[in-house]
Amino acid sequence: MMVQVKITAKKTLILPVDAEVITPDAIDSLSLSKVESLYVWEGNRRRPLGELFDVEFIDSDEDDALTLWVRGDLKSVRRIGSHMSFGRILIDGDVGMYLGENMKGGMIQVKGNAGSWLGSDMNAGLIEVLGDAGDFVGAPPRGLTRGMSGGRIHVKGSVGNECGCWMDDGVIIVDGDLGLFGGIHMRGGVILTRGNTLSRIGAGMVNGKVVVLGNVPSILPSFTFEEIRKSTRVGNDRVEGPFYMFSGDLAEDGKGRLYIAISENNHLHFIEKYLEVK
Amino acid sequence: MDLLIINGVVYDPINSVNGERMDIAVHNGKIVGHVNDSEAKVIDASNMLIMSGGVDIHSHIAGPKVNAGRLLRPEDHVNDFEVKGPFIRSGVGGSVPSTFTTGYRYARMGYTTVMEPATPPIKTRHTHDELNDTPIIDKACYILFGNNWFVLEYLKDNRVEDCAEYVSWILDALKGYAVKVVNPGGVEAWGWGENVRGIDDVVPNFGITPREIIRGLCKVNTLLGLPHSVHLHTNNLGRPGNYQTTLDTMRCVEDLADVDPILHITHCQFSSFKGDDWTNLTSAAPEISDYVNKHSHVTLDMGQIIFTETTTMTADGPHEYMIHGISGNKWVNLDIEAETGGGVVPYTYKPKSYVNATQWTIGLELALMIDDPWKIMLSTDHPNAGPFVEYPSIMSWLISKYARQKSLEKVNKKTLRRSHLSDLDRELSLSELIVMTRCSPSKALGLDKKGHLGVGADADIAIFDIDPMRVDTSKEYLKYDRAFRRAAYTIKDGIVVARNGEITTRHTGKTLWIKSGFPQEAFGSLINELRERFERYYTIQLDNYPIDESCLTNSKPVFTQSSLWS
């Protein structure tokens, strides 16, 4: 029989709360009182978890993985699921920045929206967001040049700017739209968006793949048009096109690939004349 | 309040105290012969090691390029921070700590005086703002002169006395402490995408050679009677084969020396490379140490490599461009008006890299092959070769051959075959180590109240929780390493500022600067000349250039006697 843990915010949290202890790894095999006395930072004050959150243990025989149910107003709660390696976190509502940073396994599901730096620097595992996510999905903290190196992030809504910045490996799937600079500095991995993007996708990319099924306002001049492809692979799935395939960013001597759906991008049809030249 | 430190084992090489149990009395921030026992606060230092507070002659802790390093590297700070406490402010660490953290971390290691070694004249106001916010330690800044247009023109025309007047005015007006020279002529040439490759290359547009600049500034230094010698970062720094340039540089001022050393070659490790390229780089420590052993007009500091991730920063713009090219890391380049340049590049020293491992051996070889510890001081050129918090590692390597062997096992095998380090049996005694970290830097800086524990000295004292009578330096170096990282007590100006790693009070150290002996009216013609050039070349007015003494939180002018105007 497994224990499930319910963590509910007692009030609307206004100050930022750094709650890296809300992970299965930190809570695993601790007693209720120990969990309540784990420290979180609220603004510049250190507080026990029990002061800001109600913690409840529920016996359950359904599941084999430790599951945390986190509820309440969590918009200013950061770093939930930091460095987690197993189990599940189910978040009912919106959540703040750095959800699942450095995640090494397990699964996180968010029923609302997630803040910026979702899955920052993650290595493995799965994050699913039913709403939107902020900027810098999968990106490392500022200054580092190695981002997400594995795992899968699935956002059912839209995401902000610089999605997949410095990404090395793994998969990011966005059912909605992508902001500016999707896949900037990308070193590997795949980003798929089923919606539209803003411009400058793939800026500075060296390797990896960005697939856009919607509209792209423009392609950076440092990308070259290679050919038309019928379909492409995203993780284990095949996504049907047809696509214009570009490679770049030549400014970085890169071999990255952009797959842009032909059907949604009439303004790019002119490049087909270069096919005949080839 | 008076202090009485009893029963400690005292090492004070300047006063020939070599591990004796004795008491130390402190009154009004000074060491005295005797205090009233009943009124003094007594510190029981039984079985503890007592020495004077550490003096760091070269550590980049404040100023524009240090701040550029902080801005460039948010990733350096993300996992290392200081939490606000009763006596400390929050801050970040990493290789370029914030100002407050810098002060706390030096104090925890028992260091009480630190010199910021390179500040461009026009940016000195910024440096002082940061030094004001660096708590506990005494500090000062060296002003960059080696590529200054005024200096180059004066020296080209052989107007040494006018140059001395200018240098004196700058030190006084900007509250600097010493003359710093970085790649003389080379940084000016870098403004045109060039560099100088030896001390006889001509600097473009000025028609002067590095030899003339170094000799000229040494003459200026002597004329002004400055407490420190010329603090030189050599030409060709960090390039294979540069030891010839270093030897040429030391030779070129031989005839100018009197009794005291006239030149300080800083972070000498970077200037002691032999070989034609990076693949056959070897140590020139034997050649450099042989020269230094036979001459007394130069002092050195180590610039010892630490195998870690760090941030390189120097006023040597072309050198930083080279590191950027080698590492591919992000790079900041600075060009500072008519005065100097600079650069910042993050870098990781790896033990398995042949070049890095060789650099590591060079620093230690220099320290061990130079017989007189008064001639070589301990430094990492923080943060260029490693952050200052790693000084205890260097101390372990110096006092224990066993510690060196442990580290040698992990370095590149080719380095191991070619290096002399494993043949060196010398192990520094505690006295020698104290000379390298306290006495010698104080003497080189002309700080006669620091670096010793005699009556009248500043009560800057470090007490370490280790008994040198019982713990062997050679075999049990790890215990020393641990003790040196966290002083049991650090006493600054007679106040206990740190206790077992905890900062125990708020304290502001002094900022030292050179007060010119010139009467102000003597500067009249100089000011007129400067004003005209400022109008043409500078972004600020001359009247906004000097820094008033009221801008220093705790100002401590040092008066000098110049032979020029007496």
Side-chain angles (χ1 to χ4, degrees):
Chain A
M1 195 170 73
M2 276 304 295
V3 174
Q4 299 200 350
V5 184
K6 265 191 183 173
I7 300 173
T8 313
K10 284 184 177 172
K11 55 177 183 183
T12 304
L13 297 162
I14 296 165
L15 292 171
V17 175
D18 258 36
E20 62 256 55
V21 294
I22 304 186
T23 68
D25 298 66
I27 287 174
D28 190 26
S29 66
L30 292 184
S31 68
L32 182 60
S33 61
K34 281 264 173 63
V35 173
E36 282 179 333
S37 60
L38 290 171
Y39 277 112
V40 296
W41 285 92
E42 186 190 24
N44 60 3
R45 301 275 147 77
R46 230 158 76 118
R47 299 198 192 286
L49 187 68
E51 202 178 307
L52 302 179
F53 297 88
D54 282 322
V55 185
E56 211 180 326
F57 279 21
I58 303 165
D59 293 337
S60 146
D61 45 17
E62 290 174 8
D63 220 328
D64 54 351
L66 176 57
T67 304
L68 313 184
W69 301 76
V70 194
R71 298 193 296 183
D73 189 341
L74 305 167
K75 278 201 198 70
S76 60
V77 183
R78 302 171 174 178
R79 297 204 150 83
I80 293 180
S82 171
H83 293 85
M84 75 183 269
S85 62
F86 74 99
R88 295 192 305 183
I89 301 179
L90 306 176
I91 297 169
D92 207 351
D94 298 347
V95 68
M97 296 201 287
Y98 295 107
L99 177 72
E101 66 158 0
N102 278 303
M103 191 170 166
K104 294 181 171 56
M107 186 264 198
I108 298 177
Q109 192 190 57
V110 186
K111 292 231 170 104
N113 303 324
S116 296
W117 275 286
L118 171 72
S120 167
D121 227 348
M122 76 187 276
N123 294 325
L126 172 67
I127 300 179
E128 195 176 62
V129 179
L130 302 188
D132 299 335
D135 302 325
F136 310 110
V137 173
R142 281 293 194 211
L144 283 174
T145 52
R146 283 203 54 169
M148 179 170 171
S149 56
R152 187 180 175 93
I153 298 175
H154 189 167
V155 181
K156 304 230 164 156
S158 299
V159 303
N161 301 332
E162 302 200 19
C163 170
C165 177
W166 293 109
M167 183 172 177
D168 242 357
D169 205 351
V171 179
I172 297 176
I173 295 172
V174 181
D175 291 350
D177 300 339
L178 215 59
L180 286 165
F181 288 106
I184 185 171
H185 298 308
M186 214 167 154
R187 264 41 185 167
V190 187
I191 299 174
L192 163 70
T193 170
R194 298 206 161 87
N196 307 322
T197 81
L198 296 179
S199 51
R200 297 174 208 175
I201 48 168
M205 76 192 292
V206 171
N207 216 327
K209 189 197 284 186
V210 182
V211 184
V212 185
L213 300 183
N215 176 267
V216 179
S218 64
I219 302 293
L220 282 171
S222 49
F223 281 80
T224 52
F225 173 51
E226 299 279 344
E227 57 188 359
I228 293 176
R229 287 279 179 92
K230 278 192 185 142
S231 66
T232 184
R233 191 169 271 289
V234 174
N236 295 324
D237 308 325
R238 188 153 280 284
V239 180
E240 292 301 327
F243 301 103
Y244 293 130
M245 192 193 84
F246 298 84
S247 75
D249 183 331
L250 297 178
E252 295 280 327
D253 205 8
K255 299 182 189 68
R257 296 275 189 268
L258 302 180
Y259 287 78
I260 312 296
I262 296 176
S263 56
E264 299 292 321
N265 290 286
N266 290 334
H267 62 292
L268 292 177
H269 284 214
F270 74 95
I271 55 171
E272 286 181 24
K273 68 182 176 202
Y274 297 109
L275 278 177
E276 287 140 36
V277 180
K278 271 189 175 174
Chain B
M1 193 173 60
D2 293 352
L3 265 185
L4 187 61
I5 305 161
I6 55 169
N7 297 334
V9 182
V10 178
Y11 278 81
D12 184 8
I14 289 185
N15 296 305
S16 312
V17 178
N18 235 328
E20 286 172 33
R21 278 189 204 283
M22 56 190 275
D23 299 346
I24 291 174
V26 175
H27 175 71
N28 268 349
K30 298 278 175 195
I31 292 175
V32 291
H34 180 75
V35 287
N36 191 339
D37 293 14
S38 56
E39 286 168 19
K41 180 186 167 185
V42 177
I43 293 176
D44 182 7
S46 313
N47 305 323
M48 289 191 187
L49 167 62
I50 300 184
M51 56 181 87
S52 57
V55 180
D56 195 341
I57 196 163
H58 189 109
S59 171
H60 299 268
I61 55 168
K65 71 185 166 334
V66 177
N67 220 28
R70 292 186 187 114
L71 287 168
L72 181 70
R73 301 206 57 204
E75 79 277 15
D76 188 34
H77 311 307
V78 72
N79 292 322
D80 183 11
F81 47 84
E82 295 274 339
V83 177
K84 181 187 166 194
F87 298 106
I88 70 170
R89 293 178 54 155
S90 60
V92 291
S95 60
V96 202
S98 56
T99 52
F100 284 92
T101 309
T102 302
Y104 305 141
R105 290 191 173 177
Y106 263 115
R108 285 185 191 131
M109 290 200 313
Y111 270 72
T112 50
T113 308
V114 181
M115 298 284 148
E116 152 58 38
T119 182
I122 196 170
K123 305 273 188 180
T124 310
R125 191 178 293 276
H126 176 168
T127 309
H128 280 303
D129 283 344
E130 288 195 16
L131 289 179
N132 283 341
D133 275 349
T134 306
I136 300 174
I137 52 178
D138 283 348
K139 55 259 166 176
C141 58
Y142 308 159
I143 309 269
L144 289 158
F145 284 106
N147 297 279
N148 186 313
W149 287 9
F150 294 104
V151 170
L152 297 189
E153 287 183 358
Y154 284 132
L155 293 181
K156 185 193 167 198
D157 301 339
N158 215 6
R159 294 163 63 192
V160 175
E161 297 199 349
D162 290 344
C163 185
E165 202 180 312
Y166 171 74
V167 169
S168 176
W169 181 77
I170 288 275
L171 290 176
D172 189 310
L174 303 181
K175 312 293 177 265
Y177 191 77
V179 174
K180 174 73 185 290
V181 183
V182 170
N183 188 3
V187 183
E188 171 52 32
W190 175 236
W192 307 94
E194 295 168 31
N195 198 350
V196 290
R197 286 275 168 266
I199 65 166
D200 291 314
D201 270 16
V202 178
V203 182
N205 303 318
F206 283 94
I208 187 173
T209 62
R211 179 190 296 271
E212 290 165 310
I213 301 173
I214 296 165
R215 281 181 64 85
L217 284 170
C218 280
K219 286 178 197 163
V220 165
N221 208 73
T222 313
L223 269 178
L224 293 175
L226 297 180
H228 187 32
S229 49
V230 169
H231 199 93
L232 177 73
H233 160 131
T234 58
N235 297 107
N236 264 343
L237 184 125
R239 286 181 187 276
N242 65 8
Y243 79 105
Q244 285 293 2
T245 311
T246 311
L247 288 174
D248 289 346
T249 307
M250 291 193 283
R251 281 189 198 117
C252 89
V253 294
E254 257 174 38
D255 57 314
L256 299 177
D258 195 2
V259 187
D260 290 332
I262 193 162
L263 191 65
H264 180 88
I265 307 264
T266 188
H267 38 73
C268 192
Q269 172 268 126
F270 290 109
S271 305
S272 309
F273 294 176
K274 203 154 107 179
D276 307 319
D277 57 38
W278 294 111
T279 55
N280 62 12
L281 176 83
T282 49
S283 163
E287 287 82 355
I288 299 285
S289 54
D290 184 51
Y291 182 87
V292 173
N293 281 335
K294 287 178 186 152
H295 296 82
S296 59
H297 67 287
V298 285
T299 52
L300 313 179
D301 67 75
M302 289 167 74
Q304 174 60 34
I305 294 282
I306 305 287
F307 293 122
T308 181
E309 184 185 328
T310 189
T311 313
T312 66
M313 53 178 65
T314 156
D316 194 349
H319 174 66
E320 288 295 341
Y321 177 65
M322 184 184 77
I323 299 180
H324 163 66
I326 291 170
S327 65
N329 287 339
K330 50 193 173 181
W331 167 50
V332 168
N333 185 47
L334 307 162
D335 177 43
I336 295 162
E337 307 206 0
E339 297 178 342
T340 180
V344 185
V345 179
Y347 192 82
T348 305
Y349 293 104
K350 301 186 185 96
K352 292 293 175 205
S353 148
Y354 171 68
V355 172
N356 295 164
T358 305
Q359 285 182 283
W360 179 80
T361 61
I362 294 173
L364 290 174
E365 283 170 17
L366 280 171
L368 295 166
M369 292 168 107
I370 292 174
D371 301 329
D372 184 358
W374 287 91
K375 286 184 182 167
I376 181 147
M377 301 155 206
L378 189 146
S379 80
T380 62
D381 187 15
H382 162 82
N384 282 301
F388 66 81
V389 289
E390 289 300 326
Y391 284 175
S393 309
I394 306 176
M395 297 177 192
S396 306
W397 291 324
L398 292 176
I399 58 175
S400 164
K401 189 181 183 197
Y402 188 57
R404 294 201 290 274
Q405 275 168 343
K406 277 275 175 202
S407 298
L408 272 169
E409 285 167 13
K410 294 177 197 145
V411 306
N412 184 291
K413 293 288 169 278
K414 194 166 120 193
T415 301
L416 207 56
R417 281 200 302 277
R418 293 185 179 182
S419 158
H420 316 277
L421 186 61
S422 49
D423 307 331
L424 292 174
D425 293 325
R426 183 174 172 203
E427 292 179 334
L428 262 57
S429 67
L430 274 179
S431 289
E432 287 175 316
L433 186 68
I434 289 165
V435 169
M436 275 183 75
T437 53
R438 275 121 173 114
C439 314
S440 169
S442 313
K443 185 179 162 220
L445 292 164
L447 303 169
D448 54 357
K449 301 278 189 232
K450 294 190 189 294
H452 69 105
L453 298 171
V455 170
D458 288 347
D460 297 351
I461 306 167
I463 307 178
F464 298 100
D465 189 3
I466 189 158
D467 187 352
M469 305 286 201
R470 288 203 206 118
V471 186
D472 182 55
T473 50
S474 174
K475 294 200 186 70
E476 297 174 273
Y477 66 90
L478 276 174
K479 289 185 180 168
Y480 280 93
D481 184 286
R482 215 172 301 134
F484 287 147
R485 274 170 207 276
R486 234 175 53 160
Y489 295 87
T490 304
I491 295 163
K492 176 82 188 65
D493 298 323
I495 301 164
V496 178
V497 289
R499 168 101 175 86
N500 282 336
E502 295 286 319
I503 301 297
T504 50
T505 183
R506 289 198 185 86
H507 185 75
T508 309
K510 296 184 274 287
T511 303
L512 310 172
W513 57 282
I514 300 295
K515 187 148 180 64
S516 158
F518 287 98
Q520 273 303 310
E521 53 272 20
F523 290 122
S525 60
L526 172 77
I527 299 286
N528 288 337
E529 198 177 340
L530 291 183
R531 196 177 298 282
E532 187 212 329
R533 310 302 291 277
F534 264 68
E535 300 277 330
R536 280 173 67 187
Y537 296 124
Y538 270 73
T539 54
I540 65 169
Q541 294 287 323
L542 182 66
D543 296 331
N544 295 329
Y545 197 65
I547 300 164
D548 194 71
E549 195 177 347
S550 63
C551 295
L552 312 186
T553 311
N554 196 350
S555 163
K556 170 96 167 104
V558 175
F559 296 90
T560 54
Q561 287 297 325
S562 169
S563 55
L564 199 57
W565 58 282
S566 56

